[in-house]
Amino acid sequence: MIAENLHRIEQEIQESCALVSRNPEDITMVAVTKSVDSNAANELVELGVTDLAENRVDKLLEKKQSLSQNQQIKWHLIGNLQRRKVKLIINEIDYFHALDSLRLAQEIQKRAEHQINCFIEVNVSGEESKHGIQPKELPSFIEELEGLDKINVIGLMTMAPYEASQQEVRDIFSTLKLLQESMKKLNLQYAPCTELSMGMSQDFKTAIEEGATFVRIGTALFRKG
């Protein structure tokens, strides 16, 4: 089942890339394993998936411990991170997808033993329930990160509302792409902003068409039938 789902998703990634003349090798599929156990996650790794994600600190630590024999895995924390938990997790991950405040950045700087690839979470949709920096605050926020040498701002992240129409989803993703391009043009060494983390099981094809380089897929990988 997992193998079949993975094959179908890889085909859909290729098709989405073909629509907009992109190279599928430029897309990193991050497998979100929060709903499955370590055995299912390990099955994915054996099928060649090397990027795994969890949205909770305790669950990521558990999975990493269970899969410790797989040194090739890159670990992504995609959920919001409380400052008090930074010390527990920051040196266990390769990517953090939800940097959303200066105080959190400062705590990462204090605790990290190596440079962390971070995505700044941007609240493009304006939903009050969503975390993230407001688009208009993004330039000044990135400016504030200068000098924090443990943080490498590789790009931006956003999520579209689950109930949004396809056009609304497309507008949100295209807005983030424009923001990413404007930040990239600043040529900041500590914030290259070359990547875009957007798109999940229900909207990753649209995200790829709008420029996503990292897509976070969980449900579609583990769906039965």
Side-chain angles (χ1 to χ4, degrees):
M1 178 196 74
I2 291 175
E4 290 170 10
N5 289 343
L6 176 61
H7 179 66
R8 185 180 66 251
I9 290 163
E10 288 173 340
Q11 281 188 315
E12 290 173 340
I13 288 172
Q14 289 182 344
E15 289 164 5
S16 298
C17 285
L19 278 175
V20 289
S21 303
R22 294 187 65 194
N23 185 347
E25 291 181 10
D26 293 337
I27 311 297
T28 298
M29 191 205 74
V30 181
V32 181
T33 56
K34 66 180 184 178
S35 65
V36 297
D37 62 18
S38 295
N39 290 333
N42 191 55
E43 189 177 336
L44 268 180
V45 175
E46 289 177 351
L47 290 166
V49 175
T50 55
D51 290 84
L52 301 186
E54 291 284 329
N55 68 340
R56 285 176 47 185
V57 168
D58 55 341
K59 295 296 184 186
L60 191 148
L61 293 173
E62 280 176 25
K63 286 268 183 21
K64 187 172 184 181
Q65 181 66 35
S66 297
L67 302 174
S68 58
Q69 75 277 15
N70 294 300
Q71 296 297 315
Q72 76 271 36
I73 297 174
K74 297 186 186 78
W75 289 97
H76 299 246
L77 183 65
I78 60 172
N80 293 100
L81 178 59
Q82 295 171 304
R83 291 198 309 280
R84 63 185 175 85
K85 292 189 177 181
V86 169
K87 63 186 176 187
L88 302 175
I89 193 69
I90 205 63
N91 293 304
E92 303 296 331
I93 60 174
D94 301 284
Y95 293 88
F96 175 47
H97 288 245
L99 182 61
D100 63 356
S101 78
L102 180 59
R103 290 175 73 188
L104 178 57
Q106 290 167 335
E107 187 66 20
I108 292 171
Q109 173 71 19
K110 179 179 170 184
R111 303 291 185 175
E113 294 164 8
H114 63 274
Q115 197 174 59
I116 309 295
N117 292 316
C118 294
F119 291 90
I120 294 174
E121 182 172 359
V122 185
N123 187 354
V124 177
S125 68
E127 286 178 282
E128 286 185 18
S129 60
K130 283 264 190 346
H131 292 262
I133 301 294
Q134 296 300 314
K136 65 180 184 299
E137 295 168 359
L138 183 62
S140 60
F141 178 64
I142 286 183
E143 218 172 87
E144 289 176 325
L145 301 177
E146 186 174 11
L148 303 183
D149 62 351
K150 294 294 194 295
I151 291 176
N152 181 32
V153 181
I154 61 168
L156 307 179
M157 184 279 271
T158 201
M159 290 183 287
Y162 194 80
E163 68 286 351
S165 69
Q166 190 169 0
Q167 188 56 53
E168 287 169 332
V169 169
R170 194 174 292 282
D171 290 346
I172 287 166
F173 291 160
S174 63
T175 297
L176 195 72
K177 174 64 176 171
L178 291 172
L179 287 169
Q180 176 257 321
E181 286 176 342
S182 66
M183 295 302 102
K184 183 182 171 187
K185 283 177 186 170
L186 298 175
N187 288 316
L188 300 173
Q189 192 172 359
Y190 66 93
C193 264
T194 54
E195 309 300 325
L196 275 177
S197 171
M198 59 189 193
M200 298 185 287
S201 290
Q202 75 276 12
D203 55 20
F204 72 89
K205 291 182 279 188
T206 303
I208 288 170
E209 291 169 27
E210 296 302 329
T213 57
F214 286 71
V215 291
R216 309 178 302 274
I217 299 177
T219 308
L221 275 170
F222 306 110
R223 192 179 283 135
K224 294 175 182 174

